[in-house]
Amino acid sequence: VDEARKVAQLDHPGIVRVLDVQREPSLVYIVQQYVNGGDLTQYTKPNRLPHEKLAELMISIAEAVGYAHQCGYVHLDLKPANILLSSGRDPFVADFGLALHENMQSGMRGQILGTYAYMSPAQTRGEVHRLDGRADIWSLGVILYELLAGRRPFTGKTRQELVDQIEHHEPRPPRQIDPPIPPEVSRSSMVCLAKQAVDRYPSTADLIDDLLHWLRDSPSNAARVDGGSTSKDSVDSSSAQPAKVVPQGLRSFGAEQADFYLQLLPGPHDREGIPNRVRFWKSQIEKTDSDETFSAGVMNGPSGCGKTS
């Protein structure tokens, strides 16, 4: 009944519709839209989709999930088995049984919700009170990774090993497993899988934007592998040449080190090769509307962490 009530509030062509709820003396059953094409698991192993079709599929899924986020819900159990497909391969997000509304979070601290292989680090720690749509973006990243590489990014043999990998280990970039994977799509999956929520895409719209950018402007170039080189328009840390670092000792890096400095910074980079945290400062500084930027900013951190650089 709870699931039916949740889904009944979500009116989107990419979400399975609830048609009716019936009660019997000993049970309750839900009548849902029939989707006749199986689920996404059929494309996660040997029967992988072409990269362009995969990107289009992920865009449709992300649009449906983003709509749920706009309505205040986080799905919390996104996985290939919960993405149903029509006969024409149109995806439908199903199973909102664990979906959490933002008004419900405060009383659920400590609960573990989801399927472990697709849980974000905060979910594995029971930090329900801190979750938002970026928990689902992590799950979308696991799905995207699995569709690209044919395997999951985290594969612990036990639940404890799996949780340890999710919380502490960085997965291999998909292009290390399958070099023909487009650099930009590989990068998108890794941004989704950033350990810190602040380093992931802020919303599904940002993931969609990157995938659309790749589809629109560089699918043939991004998919081409020429002697291990990548498209000049796409930056992928998994395939970039090692940075030729010039040690600075106790001195900070300066403009003369710009050709390699950004490669030294940890965390996800955007499609122009700029780390997310540098992009924040760059975009704010470049804005000319005083209502959208700030007149003063504060950057803090321990001595030697790179503030001056």
Side-chain angles (χ1 to χ4, degrees):
V1 176
D2 287 342
E3 178 180 358
R5 289 173 178 167
K6 293 171 185 175
V7 181
Q9 298 177 50
L10 301 176
D11 183 14
H12 188 276
I15 295 176
V16 174
R17 297 196 311 273
V18 171
L19 304 177
D20 196 6
V21 180
Q22 295 290 338
R23 292 179 178 271
E24 297 292 342
S26 59
L27 58 86
V28 175
Y29 62 89
I30 301 169
V31 182
Q32 293 186 324
Q33 174 187 2
Y34 175 59
V35 183
N36 62 353
D39 61 47
L40 202 55
T41 56
Q42 62 188 285
Y43 297 120
T44 57
K45 290 185 180 176
N47 189 28
R48 284 185 277 170
L49 291 167
H51 297 131
E52 289 81 2
K53 295 295 184 183
L54 188 157
E56 292 171 356
L57 190 68
M58 289 301 303
I59 288 170
S60 296
I61 296 168
E63 286 174 344
V65 174
Y67 170 78
H69 294 169
Q70 292 170 26
C71 296
Y73 285 98
V74 185
H75 189 285
L76 294 183
D77 199 21
L78 291 173
K79 55 187 177 183
N82 284 340
I83 309 297
L84 306 183
L85 299 172
S86 70
S87 56
R89 284 186 183 169
D90 295 320
F92 293 81
V93 180
D95 195 356
F96 278 77
L98 295 180
L100 182 70
H101 193 273
E102 57 191 10
N103 295 333
M104 303 160 53
Q105 289 181 259
S106 59
M108 301 182 69
R109 183 190 299 258
Q111 294 192 32
I112 306 294
L113 302 175
T115 300
Y116 274 95
Y118 299 89
M119 282 186 189
S120 66
Q123 282 174 266
T124 64
R125 296 191 293 266
E127 298 174 355
V128 178
H129 58 292
R130 298 181 58 191
L131 298 179
D132 58 24
R134 290 171 295 182
D136 285 343
I137 288 172
W138 170 282
S139 302
L140 290 174
V142 178
I143 294 171
L144 177 56
Y145 188 108
E146 192 172 359
L147 291 172
L148 287 170
R151 72 186 206 189
R152 295 171 184 166
F154 308 104
T155 56
K157 295 181 179 179
T158 66
R159 179 179 295 179
Q160 183 176 357
E161 287 182 4
L162 181 59
V163 169
D164 181 66
Q165 287 187 17
I166 291 171
E167 294 185 359
H168 304 295
H169 295 264
E170 295 295 336
R172 292 172 60 192
R175 293 195 79 230
Q176 287 188 10
I177 300 169
D178 186 8
I181 292 172
E184 183 68 8
V185 185
S186 176
R187 183 194 64 81
S188 291
S189 71
M190 297 302 289
V191 175
C192 293
L193 294 174
K195 301 295 185 189
Q196 298 294 327
V198 69
D199 289 330
R200 292 174 216 150
Y201 289 111
S203 71
T204 57
D206 298 286
L207 169 60
I208 292 168
D209 181 61
D210 271 359
L211 292 176
L212 282 174
H213 178 271
W214 174 73
L215 281 171
R216 182 178 61 248
D217 297 334
S218 58
S220 59
N221 290 334
R224 179 175 58 83
V225 175
D226 183 11
S229 64
T230 61
S231 166
K232 65 181 180 179
D233 295 326
S234 297
V235 178
D236 178 43
S237 60
S238 66
S239 59
Q241 294 296 319
K244 296 180 180 179
V245 181
V246 180
Q248 294 298 296
L250 296 178
R251 296 171 297 169
S252 62
F253 290 97
E256 62 275 15
Q257 284 87 36
D259 58 334
F260 66 82
Y261 177 69
L262 292 181
Q263 295 183 51
L264 304 181
L265 301 186
H269 292 49
D270 67 14
R271 60 176 175 249
E272 297 176 354
I274 300 177
N276 286 358
R277 295 176 184 184
V278 173
R279 167 65 69 187
F280 165 78
W281 288 100
K282 185 175 186 296
S283 63
Q284 293 297 312
I285 291 170
E286 291 176 343
K287 287 179 179 177
T288 57
D289 187 339
S290 60
D291 292 332
E292 295 183 359
T293 185
F294 44 70
S295 56
V298 177
M299 182 183 296
N300 61 8
S303 177
C305 74
K307 298 186 297 296
T308 304
S309 299

